Structure formats: structure tokens, C-alpha cells
Amino acid sequence: MIDTHAHIDVQDFDDIRDDILKRAEEANIEKIIIPAIEPKTFNKLIEVANSSEKLCFGIGIHPHNSNEVNGEAIKLVEQIINEHNPVAVGEIGLDYYYDFSPPEVQKKLFREHLKLAKKYQLPVIVHNRDAFEDIFAILEDEQDGTLTGVLHCFSGNPEQLEKALDLGFNVSFTGNITFKKTNLEETVLVAPLDKILLETDSPWMAPVPHRGKKNEPAFIKFIAEKIAEIKKISIDEVIKMTTKNAKTLFKIVVLLLLFTFYSFPIIAQTSKTEEGGFKDIFSEEEEVYNPYEKSLGIGGFLGTNTIVQSIQEARGTRDVSYEGILFYGGMINFFPWEFMSVQLGYVYSKNTKIVEKSKNQLGPNIHQVIELGTQWYVNPNSRLNFFGTLGPSIIFNKFGEGTDKQKENSSFAINTGIGFNLNIPFTGVGLLTLAAEWRLSFDMTVSDTYGVIFNPNDPNDIKFVEQRVTSFFSLPRIVVTFYPFNRQ
Ligand SMILES: [Zn+2]
């Protein structure tokens, strides 16, 4: 989330600025934009904005202060644009509610700021109170196709919203949309999600349930929640889009932090970090690390199989287990979406332990499995991903291979498992993934086979008995997969 409008440089925050920045961090706020108010606090504004990577600022003179400024003030604004890389010109605009400055003075200063914004290709942050008509007239006049910006704390009706959008502007919503008596619901409802920004306007306009208290950036989630509620969409969607909108408008360049092998996958989910991008360049597309989407991979795996069999014989039912049986196989893995893959695999496992146990009276059991799996990724956009697997399999069994007791059948099984993937991109070549997975296979079919009974008193007295077995396979494995057509 980005709080596109928070006056955290004001005196109200002097004693608690570190705390509110910490809480903003905890609330997953990537960036806070501090708009300027008046020339006498410009120095402090820049100092506060430079104190953290998470902060950036706009420069300009608030309409309340229009009266106090002279020609030197607008020169100072331009000088700061040149020397300190603000992300916007603002906040500027018109305020006819408070009678601090005559409208003509406000209008003149507003226009001068708009010209500066165009000259330096910066977006504008526009304040408006009871002045829609003049705001629109001036914006229309100054709009030559290069002017971009946001009407902050937007409180207009749907018709005024339409006008703002026609002028190429974004709108940002703040705490007042959460108030019980708000008349902004319809405006929020019809505002297109790709034109909305979030803001707190801290320290003012605290949203419900903090109404009346000192507002702070961490409260931005209540604005996102309210927008999601009105539009009947998910909060995630609101956050994703408004963040993207803010980055595009304010040209905030996002760099991707690639996580190392040791990073914890859950943290990696929020691994995107950004760097203030104030350069006079076109905004860069957000880079999202998305290694898998629509890619086809081929892989191989190796592991040790533990087979537990439930055996029914004439003399009763019992369980036997065989451990440490090598198995291997190959598969193809296709991602229709980044968070899910479909896998078709082949597993070969030869149980020779039964030959030892039967003192060479029986041949090995061979299990060949065709596994159809779906894998579901918890955090697909990270270097290390957790996943779960579920799917059906068919097992081709050959019991007692190579002896006259050999029996063959096929059975149906369910396979399920969990694992994690480390993905290693090779630019221009493809993506290599290393996975550790533990898969279980539950055989749903009863198979007929033979068992051996020895007479402890006479080693030559050997009896073969018919058995009915159901098998359970535990198949932990190391998987190496290569996606040659991967776009990364
Ligand atoms: Zn403001």
C-alpha cells in the first residue's frame, strides 16, 4: 500500500514520528508521500522525507497560504524541484471554504504551479474545497495532454468524478468515505479502480474506527476496506490496483529483491522492495517475480520408498513394512496459472527386500506408477515456494517377478504431499528448480499375491499361501526440473 497523502512532517508528529513510521512498516505500507504546505516548513519537509527510504514528498504551496507568498516563493518551489527530486507538485489548488486568501490570488498561484508541473513532467496533488468549478476550468485550460495528477480527498459527486476522469486525473479517497453520514458511496462505487489512490491525509481525517483521533498512515487499510466493501470486491484487489496506480502516477520505480536460498518463504511473499524513483524518466513497469506462469518443465526425481502393506491371509490380517527401497522417475509439469501446476509423472520402484524376507522363495515386487498430480503454490512469486499436491495415480503391480508365483494387476491410488521448491533462473536459458517433496500414495485396490510360510523346525518345509494386500507408499523425493521455455 502507498499512502499518497500524509503530512507526517507537521509538528503533531515530532515526538512520535518514529513510532508511526514503524507502525506504517508493520501495516505493509511501502511508501508515504508527504505533500508540502508552506515555504517556511519546506526545509523540515525535505529533512523528514530524506530520513527514510519509505518517504518521498511533493513540493508546492497550499492554497491556504497563497496570500503570504510572493514571486520568490514560486522560485523556491522550482529550485527544490531541481535540487531535491520531489515526486509531485503539491499540494496546490483552491479552497473557497476557508477565507484565507482571495480567489484571484489562489487561482494565479495554482496556475503557476501547474505550469511548473508541466515543465518538469511532475504529477500534481490538487486540493479542492468548494471550488470544483474553478478547479475544472483551470485544469481544462492548462491540460495540454501532459498534465497528470490526483484530486486528493475527493469529495465530489459522480458527475464531478466524470469530469475529473475526463481531464485525465486520478482521485484519492480518505477517511471521510468511512464516516457514517458520508454521501460518497455512490462516487466510490462508480470510480474506476484503475483511477483510485489511497491516502490518509494524516494527521487529519482519521477513518472510522479512529474518527476524531490523530490520523496516521497505518490507518490506510480502513480506506481500502471501505472501498472493497462498497465495490463488493476483495481488499487485496483494491490494494493491488491502488498501489499500482500510485506507482505509475508518481513514477515510483520498484526493484525486485531476489531472495536467497536461506530466506524464509513466508517472508518472501512480501519481498518486494522499492527505491524512490525520482528520475526524469518514463515510469517503469512493476517487475513481479513470476517464474512459473504458463511454463512447461521436464524433470526427474529420486527417493526412497517405504511400503507398508496390510496383508489378509487365511490365518488373519497383519501389516508388514519394507523400508529404504530406491525409486526414481520422471515427469512433465505444466503451469496453466502461476499458483497451480498439473503434473504427469512416472515412478519405478522395485521391492527386492521381499526377496530377502522370503529367503529367495519369491521374486521382487515391481510397482510402476503413473501419477497425475495437481500442485498448489502458496507463494509462487518467491525464490522458495511451498506447495501441496493432490491427484490420482494408477499403479501397475508385478508381485513375485520371474517366479511361478508371479501375479500382475493394476490398482487405483490417491497421491498427496507437501514440499518446497527452490527456483534458480538462468537468464536466456530457462529456469531450474530443486524441490524436496514428501508424497504419500494410498492404494485403493486390493491385490492378490502369494506369501511364504516357513516351518521353524524344518527349513525345507515351505508353504505358499494366497494373500490379499493393500499397499501404502511413502515417497520422499528430491526433484530437479527444468523449464526451457520460461520467459524469465
Ligand atoms: Zn493535505
Side-chain angles (χ1 to χ4, degrees):
M1 280 181 288
I2 294 179
D3 187 349
T4 63
H5 199 116
H7 297 281
I8 59 166
D9 60 323
V10 298
Q11 213 177 353
D12 297 52
F13 290 129
D14 280 355
D15 297 334
I16 54 167
R17 196 166 292 115
D18 288 345
D19 295 335
I20 69 157
L21 287 178
K22 201 170 149 231
R23 288 198 289 267
E25 174 102 43
E26 284 161 7
N28 280 325
I29 290 163
E30 297 175 56
K31 206 90 182 174
I32 299 167
I33 298 173
I34 317 171
I37 297 175
E38 55 180 332
K40 69 176 179 210
T41 56
F42 283 174
N43 280 339
K44 185 181 176 194
L45 166 72
I46 294 165
E47 190 188 316
V48 170
N50 285 340
S51 70
S52 162
E53 280 277 287
K54 303 246 165 189
L55 302 175
C56 47
F57 72 103
I59 197 72
I61 300 153
H62 196 285
H64 284 167
N65 305 85
S66 317
N67 222 12
E68 307 153 21
V69 302
N70 50 33
E72 291 306 305
I74 196 85
K75 276 188 198 146
L76 178 61
V77 170
E78 183 162 10
Q79 190 191 336
I80 290 171
I81 292 174
N82 278 311
E83 290 172 8
H84 296 279
N85 302 313
V87 295
V89 171
E91 74 181 273
I92 56 174
L94 304 174
D95 193 316
Y96 296 167
Y97 181 82
Y98 294 104
D99 212 11
F100 291 136
S101 312
E104 288 316 310
V105 176
Q106 293 190 32
K107 285 199 253 183
K108 181 168 176 282
L109 190 66
F110 183 39
R111 272 188 196 270
E112 284 174 30
H113 279 108
L114 294 177
K115 289 188 200 314
L116 270 185
K118 287 190 284 185
K119 182 174 171 186
Y120 292 96
Q121 295 171 35
L122 286 171
V124 290
I125 299 168
V126 179
H127 170 102
N128 160 42
R129 191 128 186 222
D130 293 353
F132 264 122
E133 219 167 291
D134 284 355
I135 291 266
F136 285 147
I138 293 172
L139 289 180
E140 199 163 357
D141 201 30
E142 294 292 336
Q143 183 54 282
D144 58 358
T146 64
L147 190 60
T148 60
V150 56
L151 299 185
H152 113 85
C153 189
F154 191 79
S155 308
N157 58 35
E159 217 173 297
Q160 289 159 330
L161 171 77
E162 184 85 44
K163 183 77 191 163
L165 298 175
D166 283 349
L167 284 164
F169 271 69
N170 295 65
V171 293
S172 67
F173 293 115
T174 181
N176 58 350
I177 67 164
T178 67
F179 297 170
K180 226 178 192 165
K181 283 190 177 156
T182 182
N183 51 6
L184 289 169
E185 293 214 350
E186 208 193 328
T187 302
V188 174
L189 183 67
V190 297
L193 200 54
D194 64 350
K195 292 290 171 191
I196 298 176
L197 308 180
L198 304 179
E199 65 161 299
T200 56
D201 205 7
S202 303
W204 305 287
M205 282 283 183
V208 173
H210 301 286
R211 191 174 180 183
K213 290 184 213 147
K214 193 184 286 180
N215 200 358
E216 63 175 82
F219 296 164
I220 196 106
K221 64 167 192 247
F222 298 109
I223 320 287
E225 267 171 26
K226 188 68 189 182
I227 294 171
E229 182 196 314
I230 294 172
K231 287 185 166 296
K232 296 188 171 65
I233 56 178
S234 72
I235 297 169
D236 281 353
E237 200 178 337
V238 172
I239 290 172
K240 199 174 154 190
M241 276 304 289
T242 54
T243 304
K244 188 168 180 249
N245 300 341
K247 284 175 181 170
T248 306
L249 180 65
F250 296 106
K251 297 169 189 161
I252 295 168
V253 179
V254 176
L255 292 182
L256 175 83
L257 183 67
L258 290 182
F259 258 59
T260 62
F261 182 77
Y262 300 101
S263 56
F264 189 63
I266 301 300
I267 299 167
Q269 249 186 307
T270 52
S271 70
K272 275 182 257 166
T273 67
E274 82 285 328
E275 196 180 77
F278 317 115
K279 286 158 225 135
D280 203 8
I281 51 164
F282 296 108
S283 77
E284 283 180 26
E285 272 297 294
E286 182 179 339
E287 255 190 74
V288 174
Y289 185 72
N290 175 4
Y292 299 121
E293 196 175 12
K294 292 193 173 59
S295 50
L296 180 71
I298 181 159
F301 48 81
L302 187 68
T304 55
N305 188 357
T306 300
I307 305 173
V308 178
Q309 286 178 331
S310 169
I311 296 175
Q312 301 168 45
E313 294 170 338
R315 56 179 170 162
T317 300
R318 67 203 162 87
D319 289 341
V320 293
S321 72
Y322 306 96
E323 282 141 33
I325 302 157
L326 193 76
F327 76 95
Y328 52 88
M331 53 89 178
I332 51 171
N333 199 24
F334 176 68
F335 283 82
W337 305 288
E338 60 175 9
F339 61 87
M340 183 262 202
S341 72
V342 181
Q343 202 177 81
L344 184 66
Y346 168 79
V347 184
Y348 181 90
S349 180
K350 186 174 187 173
N351 177 5
T352 52
K353 309 266 166 174
I354 192 163
V355 182
E356 294 162 31
K357 272 198 181 173
S358 71
K359 297 181 180 148
N360 296 315
Q361 297 304 310
L362 293 171
N365 293 343
I366 294 172
H367 307 282
Q368 295 180 86
V369 188
I370 304 291
E371 288 177 336
L372 184 66
T374 53
Q375 293 197 321
W376 302 85
Y377 286 73
V378 179
N379 54 337
N381 294 326
S382 302
R383 286 294 295 271
L384 191 61
N385 323 115
F386 272 142
F387 61 83
T389 304
L390 185 67
S393 23
I394 298 170
I395 309 176
F396 300 98
N397 300 300
K398 196 183 269 183
F399 297 99
E401 194 213 14
T403 65
D404 60 349
K405 303 297 175 205
Q406 178 174 314
K407 275 195 177 257
E408 288 178 46
N409 79 326
S410 59
S411 58
F412 174 76
I414 297 289
N415 68 81
T416 183
I418 50 168
F420 59 87
N421 243 358
L422 171 71
N423 50 75
I424 308 159
F426 291 95
T427 311
V429 182
L431 178 80
L432 187 75
T433 70
L434 293 176
E437 185 184 352
W438 183 29
R439 205 179 284 201
L440 305 174
S441 186
F442 299 90
D443 193 346
M444 297 290 157
T445 314
V446 181
S447 306
D448 291 327
T449 177
Y450 283 98
V452 191
I453 298 174
F454 298 99
N455 182 342
N457 304 318
D458 179 1
N460 295 319
D461 183 9
I462 297 164
K463 245 189 348 202
F464 291 96
V465 290
E466 288 186 355
Q467 293 180 339
R468 293 167 60 80
V469 305
T470 41
S471 306
F472 160 80
F473 302 90
S474 164
L475 303 155
R477 57 184 81 175
I478 298 292
V479 189
V480 181
T481 315
F482 185 62
Y483 299 86
F485 304 114
N486 196 275
R487 297 169 302 168
Q488 297 283 322

